[in-house]
Amino acid sequence: MVDITNKNTTLRTAVAQAVVMVSKQETITAIENDTVPKGNVFAMSKAAGLLGVKRTPDILPDCHPLPIEFTGVEYKIDGLEITVLFTVKTIYKTGVEVEAMHGASVVALNMYDMLKPIDKGIEIHAIKLLKKKGGKSDFKDSFRKDLKAAVVVCSDTISAGHKEDRAGKAIINKLESCDVKISEYVIIPDETEDIQQKARTYQEQGIDMVIYTGGTGLSGRDVTPEALLPLLDRRIPGIEEAIRSYGQERMPFAMLSRSIAGTIGNTLVLALPGSTNGAKESMDAIFPAVLHSFRILKGARHD
């Protein structure tokens, strides 16, 4: 199956349809009057759909098992057509489009099975997804496409040439996937003055984001938060909490990171862990949703 361990948990919704076409008005009348020999068609078909949607990963090998937290079934009769609307909701890492379509299919098949003794001309049409919501694309901000970022690696070891940087490059890869232009990528030692000078310079140059990696741990040379905090106009605790929460779900030492987030003027400043996995997971935790901050900084509404 596709690896979804890097995805964020969000509210996911999908609505699918199936259309059951009967061949005569008498069938519709029997459904409405509850005189179908096999029982109440709508109630039993709804029950079949509720059972079926929860078995979706048992039938489709690449479908992830996930908690089904809401299922709704609606029927609309138009002439000889009965449209089944099947809604599924979950709070999880992946969407429920397939579950919704599977549920609609099961409802339609159960209707077929119950109605075939009284109508030999039944057909099932138009099983399709009508809408979905809650995936990454729903939170990708489209306000600006000209954002620029500077990536600063804070490490005595890497700046001295004793080790290759991987964390900074992981950050750059994520930024580029979000259409953010890299204005500068630089490696500096763990020195307070150097860290502060970079933040001031980039803010004066109008760089939208300055992302530091390294120096957020607990060793004596980890001074990135202490260097940046006096410069910040405002901290953004929610970003910091999201980073640590995401990391803690993946490894028990994430709580020891002292990642910070805030603004200097209209420049967003992030200080992320120096390990490759720590930096990558921190970026996965907040991008692309964090780009929405630039809409707010410009005075736009959240909606």
Side-chain angles (χ1 to χ4, degrees), residues 44-63:
M44 292 185 66
S45 297
K46 177 180 179 179
L50 297 181
L51 291 171
V53 70
K54 290 178 278 193
R55 302 299 299 272
T56 304
D58 295 339
I59 299 170
L60 302 177
D62 281 335
C63 191

Side-chain angles (χ1 to χ4, degrees), residues 20-36 41-42 76-82 115 118-122:
V20 178
M21 173 76 77
V22 303
S23 64
K24 52 188 179 181
Q25 182 60 41
E26 290 81 359
T27 305
I28 298 294
T29 301
I31 294 171
E32 293 176 329
N33 294 337
D34 195 14
T35 58
V36 175
V41 174
F42 286 165
K76 295 182 179 179
I77 299 175
D78 182 11
L80 299 182
E81 287 188 354
I82 305 170
L115 294 172
I118 64 171
D119 191 334
K120 302 301 183 184
I122 300 173

Side-chain angles (χ1 to χ4, degrees), residues 7-257:
K7 289 189 173 184
N8 281 302
T9 297
T10 58
L11 172 61
R12 313 279 184 141
T13 304
V15 180
Q17 76 161 28
V19 177
V20 178
M21 173 76 77
V22 303
S23 64
K24 52 188 179 181
Q25 182 60 41
E26 290 81 359
T27 305
I28 298 294
T29 301
I31 294 171
E32 293 176 329
N33 294 337
D34 195 14
T35 58
V36 175
K38 285 192 173 184
N40 188 294
V41 174
F42 286 165
M44 292 185 66
S45 297
K46 177 180 179 179
L50 297 181
L51 291 171
V53 70
K54 290 178 278 193
R55 302 299 299 272
T56 304
D58 295 339
I59 299 170
L60 302 177
D62 281 335
C63 191
H64 294 83
L66 50 76
I68 301 295
E69 299 183 272
F70 171 80
T71 301
V73 181
E74 300 176 61
Y75 301 99
K76 295 182 179 179
I77 299 175
D78 182 11
L80 299 182
E81 287 188 354
I82 305 170
T83 299
V84 178
L85 296 176
F86 202 97
T87 302
V88 181
K89 294 182 181 181
T90 188
I91 298 177
Y92 200 60
K93 300 175 184 177
T94 190
V96 286
E97 302 95 311
V98 172
E99 286 78 5
M101 286 190 287
H102 180 226
S105 302
V106 172
V107 171
L109 283 170
N110 192 77
M111 293 176 65
Y112 178 95
D113 180 63
M114 294 186 70
L115 294 172
K116 65 183 180 181
I118 64 171
D119 191 334
K120 302 301 183 184
I122 300 173
E123 298 178 354
I124 297 174
H125 298 273
I127 297 172
K128 64 180 181 179
L129 180 70
L130 297 180
K131 60 181 178 180
K132 66 170 186 171
K133 187 177 181 181
K136 182 172 65 176
S137 59
D138 289 318
F139 299 104
K140 188 172 183 179
D141 197 283
S142 58
F143 185 58
R144 289 181 59 185
K145 292 294 185 182
D146 60 341
L147 295 174
K148 298 177 292 183
V151 177
V152 183
V153 179
C154 301
S155 170
D156 293 332
T157 304
I158 296 174
S159 65
H162 301 314
K163 184 180 176 182
E164 181 184 354
D165 167 57
R166 291 188 174 89
K169 292 175 182 176
I171 290 172
I172 289 172
N173 287 339
K174 186 67 173 184
L175 289 170
E176 290 178 339
S177 74
C178 296
D179 299 321
V180 177
K181 180 182 178 182
I182 309 303
S183 293
E184 187 165 335
Y185 162 60
V186 64
I187 300 170
I188 63 174
D190 292 298
E191 296 290 348
T192 297
E193 186 176 335
D194 293 345
I195 294 168
Q196 292 180 337
Q197 185 268 328
K198 288 296 181 184
R200 292 190 185 100
T201 299
Y202 293 138
Q203 192 273 330
E204 291 169 359
Q205 292 175 353
I207 301 296
D208 299 292
M209 274 177 283
V210 184
I211 304 180
Y212 292 83
T213 174
T216 62
L218 298 176
S219 76
R221 292 290 291 167
D222 288 329
V223 297
T224 304
E226 286 77 13
L228 293 175
L229 283 172
L231 305 182
L232 298 180
D233 297 323
R234 291 186 293 180
R235 290 182 70 174
I236 311 175
I239 295 177
E240 301 168 7
E241 293 159 8
I243 290 170
R244 276 186 281 275
S245 175
Y246 185 94
Q248 192 67 21
E249 289 181 345
R250 288 156 178 81
M251 67 95 67
F253 303 145
M255 63 183 177
L256 302 178
S257 171

